[in-house]
Amino acid sequence: MHIDMTPTDLAWQAEALCAQTGADFFFPEPGSSVREAKRICGLCETRPRCLEYALRNDERFGVWGGLSEKERLELRRRENR
């Protein structure tokens, strides 16, 4: 399910720490560690909005809101029970 968001809804992205560090940490090669991305997310004030965005837009790759692809999938499964 994809939900279109207005530019105001996405304003948090400019404040996100990931926007200041680059995508490499957040979209690592398969099998690479996501530890550094999760550490950065843990310090980020926009983490809740980021996770909400990823879940609403079914983001399937990378670290969003401090969770990996597998963690978000498990969260969605638990919520659908």
Side-chain angles (χ1 to χ4, degrees), residues 16-47:
L17 292 178
C18 61
Q20 300 165 30
T21 59
D24 291 347
F25 290 121
F26 301 92
F27 296 93
E29 293 294 320
S32 297
S33 175
V34 294
R35 185 179 305 135
E36 187 63 16
K38 287 182 171 193
R39 185 187 72 74
I40 293 168
C41 288
L43 300 171
C44 186
E45 292 181 15
T46 66
R47 191 187 67 76

Side-chain angles (χ1 to χ4, degrees), residues 59-70:
E59 291 291 347
R60 299 201 178 183
F61 302 100
V63 175
W64 289 82
L67 299 181
S68 69
E69 300 99 331
K70 290 180 182 179

